[in-house]
Amino acid sequence: MIFKQMKMFYTSLFAFLALLFSATFIQGQILIENFQSGYSTGNLSGQNGWNQGFGATPTPSATVADASGNFYVSSTSDSYSILDAGNFSLTTADTITLTFDLRVTAASANAAFGIGNYNQISSSSGTPPVFGVISGVWAVRGWGFGTTVNARDTGNISLLASQNEWYRVQSTWDLSGTGTGTLSIMNLTLGETAFTQLYFNAAQTQATADLQLGKANNPGVANWQGVFVRTTNGQIDDLSVIPEPNTFALLIGALGLAALMRRARFARKA
């Protein structure tokens, strides 16, 4: 009897771990890009599917740089985009977390990361939401060059990004309704290991910005098929786009596992 209970326990444990793996990685992981594997120093365009977007004329190139074996992308002085197509299968029920590493190298730097329709990432058709540093300030901007919501300090002053420091920048987007986005930063240069939540008002109570997804030129998140970075005098690394795991399925699995663990405990006592 004990053997049977333990067999049921380990079988269920294996199934739950498989579910966790599936929800987090197979279903969940959309893009991880650290510019290490398959890259060489020089122009990024054409490497591993990345392309130049709109920008200055002629469009300045994004350059793959190497710092002691760590590859990253460095921009020139003019604003431009780099793009990579994907197959994201997003819906308005999804929440996604976008992350990238950023080194700000000028007070006027624009270095914003986002995801949207690959064919509409241009100034003429309107652009998807972005987050990062916009005109030197930590911010989230809505669809189609919509409202830019700046992170603010307790004095209600726009929060500037420090020059010549590496940050890990993260934004979680709830794609329901008109959409909301959060903004968090971690200063890697100072050795920080946890994200600091940024707020958009002096009282530190407004934690989300409106992504304005209801605008007419938004083709719908189901058609978002490109990730992109807009930079001016910036350096970028470690991009990721990850949706929230199927928490409902994980909860069901966890409850089932807890019940079996309880039965197995009682069986050992009997």
Side-chain angles (χ1 to χ4, degrees), residues 14-203:
F14 177 80
F16 174 70
L17 292 176
L19 174 64
L20 178 63
F21 178 87
S22 174
T24 305
F25 293 97
I26 298 175
Q27 176 187 350
Q29 184 168 307
I30 294 181
L31 177 140
I32 298 291
E33 180 59 85
N34 61 10
F35 301 104
Q36 292 292 112
S37 178
Y39 289 91
S40 59
T41 56
N43 196 322
L44 173 67
S45 187
Q47 296 197 55
N48 283 15
W50 287 91
N51 298 287
Q52 294 296 134
F54 78 96
T57 303
T59 303
S61 64
T63 302
V64 179
D66 178 13
S68 302
N70 178 40
F71 287 71
Y72 60 91
V73 175
S74 182
S75 75
T76 54
S77 59
D78 294 320
S79 180
Y80 70 100
S81 300
I82 60 172
L83 316 169
D84 184 46
N87 182 18
F88 304 135
S89 301
L90 295 171
T91 73
T92 54
D94 287 328
T95 297
I96 57 174
T97 297
L98 304 96
T99 308
F100 74 128
D101 290 355
L102 164 69
R103 181 172 181 258
V104 180
T105 57
S108 60
N110 293 286
F113 178 39
I115 178 173
N117 181 269
Y118 189 72
N119 295 319
Q120 285 196 319
I121 303 172
S122 72
S123 56
S124 60
S125 60
T127 60
V130 296
F131 75 96
V133 172
I134 302 175
S135 298
V137 179
W138 296 110
V140 174
R141 189 184 68 196
W143 182 274
F145 290 105
T147 303
T148 298
V149 185
N150 292 338
R152 298 182 178 277
D153 63 20
T154 53
N156 209 28
I157 306 300
S158 295
L159 191 61
L160 299 177
S162 299
Q163 295 185 41
N164 300 317
E165 293 182 352
W166 275 99
Y167 291 90
R168 182 154 295 159
V169 196
Q170 186 172 92
S171 187
T172 297
W173 293 1
D174 179 346
L175 301 179
S176 62
T178 60
T180 56
T182 64
L183 181 61
S184 299
I185 61 173
M186 180 192 309
N187 192 314
L188 302 177
T189 299
L190 297 182
E192 293 180 355
T193 58
F195 282 103
T196 297
Q197 169 79 58
L198 301 187
Y199 294 88
F200 302 106
N201 62 342

